[in-house]
């Protein structure tokens, strides 16, 4: 009998696992399902080439949709704990760069499932962290999900979640000691320029307060130039301490460094002018 065997008559007891938070990845499962289904349909159509050779043309969309589905599936894997936990590591990078002092008031614009809010609250004793999000149909996130996650993680009393648009936050100027945001500004639809979301987030930061924004700032489809982003930060009376590619701060494996995934992601860190 090995030294680790239980005494006769005693069974090993599995550790009791309480409810676990559900943060979900940034990839909508509906997107993955749609591309996998389209690729499968095209493959079936290709098999009809035995009837007419024209059906062989379906190989082209099969390859295209299959490639997209593969990239999406690998991305989900990389974001998950088994594939390196990159979604959690990106949030931890933001928390580290925010360096939130104890007993602060912080805001996360576009808080999704509450993951970053919870991590900030846990990293900074006595701090209160607020999360806002529009929680639209496109995402598998909700206010209830955020509140459940905060309760499970033991920070419900120090977190609050509100449905608001990042385009027009319902908070007075300068009310927060720190403002963070992760992959949200490019999603905000009701603004003339994506950088307007940056200006609005900085509006609610107090003079001397610190901000950390991660977004697709390097993607010209959303931000015509990096100078435009710098100009927006200046317009909001804030300075830039650091502005660089996410991949420089956290080496990204394939396919996360793909331009359609996080290849254009950049982190900007700075401080609101003291006035
Ligand atoms: C890629 S997800 C990122 C979620 C979260 N920041 C994270 O890191 O897990 C983009 C988020 O932007 C939110 N969003 C989209 N438009 C918004 C808006 N106008 N105002 C606030 N949030 C918005 C979505 O609901 C979604 O939660």
């Amino acid at each position: 009998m090995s030294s680790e065997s239980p005494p006769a008559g005693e069974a090993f007891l599995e550790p009791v696992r309480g409810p676990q938070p559900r943060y979900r990845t940034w990839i909508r499962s509906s997107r993955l399902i749609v591309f996998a289904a389209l690729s499968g349909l095209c493959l079936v159509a290709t098999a009809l080439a035995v009837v007419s050779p024209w059906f062989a043309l379906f190989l082209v969309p099969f390859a295209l949709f299959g490639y997209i589905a593969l990239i999406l599936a690998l991305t989900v894997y990389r974001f998950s704990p088994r594939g390196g936990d990159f979604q959690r590591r990106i949030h931890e990078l933001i928390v580290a760069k925010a360096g939130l002092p104890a007993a602060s008031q912080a805001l996360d614009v576009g808080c999704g499932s509450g993951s970053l809010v919870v991590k900030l609250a846990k990293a900074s004793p006595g701090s209160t962290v607020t999360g806002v999000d529009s929680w639209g149909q496109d995402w598998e996130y909700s206010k209830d999900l955020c509140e459940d996650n905060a309760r499970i993680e033991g920070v419900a009393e120090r977190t609050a979640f509100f449905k608001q648009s990042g385009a027009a936050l319902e908070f007075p100027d300068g009310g927060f000691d720190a403002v963070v945001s992760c992959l949200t500004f490019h999603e905000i639809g009701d603004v003339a320029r994506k950088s307007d979301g940056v200006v609005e987030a900085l509006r609610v930061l107090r003079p001397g307060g610190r901000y950390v924004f991660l977004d697709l700032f390097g993607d010209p489809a959303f931000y015509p130039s990096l100078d435009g982003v710098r100009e927006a930060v200046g317009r909001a009376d804030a300075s830039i301490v650091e502005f660089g590619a996410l991949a420089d701060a956290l080496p990204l494996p394939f396919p996360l460094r793909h331009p359609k995934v996080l290849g254009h992601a950049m982190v900007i860190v700075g401080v609101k002018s003291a006035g």
Side-chain angles (χ1 to χ4, degrees):
M1 186 188 284
S2 95
S3 59
E4 290 181 3
S5 296
E10 270 184 37
F12 275 123
L13 288 177
E14 286 288 325
V16 178
R17 284 185 88 212
Q20 299 296 303
R22 289 175 306 134
Y23 290 122
R24 300 176 182 272
T25 75
W26 293 319
I27 302 298
R28 287 156 264 191
S29 44
S30 56
R31 277 184 82 192
L32 179 54
I33 291 165
V34 165
F35 283 110
L38 284 172
S39 159
L41 279 175
C42 292
L43 186 61
V44 170
T46 305
L48 295 176
V50 292
V51 180
S52 162
W54 285 105
F55 280 103
L57 287 175
F58 275 98
L59 271 178
V60 177
F62 161 70
L64 182 71
F65 293 137
Y67 175 71
I68 296 172
L70 182 70
I71 293 286
L72 289 174
L74 282 174
T75 300
V76 169
Y77 171 70
R78 284 299 185 192
F79 284 154
S80 71
R82 283 185 184 184
D85 224 354
F86 278 86
Q87 192 160 313
R88 178 182 59 76
R89 288 165 69 179
I90 288 168
H91 282 160
E92 286 177 354
L93 178 79
I94 295 172
V95 170
K97 287 189 182 292
L100 190 65
S104 302
Q105 300 278 334
L107 172 71
D108 177 15
V109 180
C111 60
S113 61
S115 166
L116 185 52
V117 168
V118 165
K119 286 176 180 59
L120 271 175
K122 285 177 124 178
S124 178
S127 288
T128 302
V129 188
T130 300
V132 297
D133 200 295
S134 57
W135 291 301
Q137 301 278 318
D138 278 352
W139 296 90
E140 293 159 337
Y141 304 136
S142 66
K143 184 173 188 277
D144 285 349
L145 180 64
C146 290
E147 288 170 348
D148 284 350
N149 286 336
R151 192 174 53 251
I152 292 166
E153 297 266 32
V155 291
E157 288 75 28
R158 295 193 291 114
T159 55
F161 298 95
F162 300 103
K163 186 173 170 79
Q164 288 186 19
S165 173
L169 296 167
E170 297 162 39
F171 299 114
D173 295 0
F176 292 96
D177 302 306
V179 180
V180 299
S181 185
C182 181
L183 291 171
T184 293
F185 297 129
H186 75 279
E187 293 281 346
I188 298 178
D190 37 356
V191 285
R193 291 167 295 185
K194 297 300 180 189
S195 55
D196 291 350
V198 172
V199 175
E200 177 60 2
L202 290 171
R203 178 184 67 75
V204 300
L205 182 62
R206 72 161 167 78
R210 189 172 175 87
Y211 69 89
V212 183
F213 299 152
L214 188 153
D215 201 18
L216 306 178
F217 294 119
D219 188 340
F222 296 116
Y223 299 92
S225 74
L226 295 185
D227 279 345
V229 178
R230 290 191 189 95
E231 181 274 327
V233 171
R235 200 159 18 110
D237 235 356
S239 65
I240 295 175
V241 173
E242 193 185 320
F243 192 7
L246 169 63
D248 290 343
L250 178 68
L252 298 174
F254 180 82
L256 300 190
R257 54 175 183 268
H258 190 286
K260 289 286 180 199
V261 187
L262 292 176
H264 288 302
M266 298 183 75
V267 189
I268 182 165
V269 182
V271 176
K272 183 93 170 265
S273 303

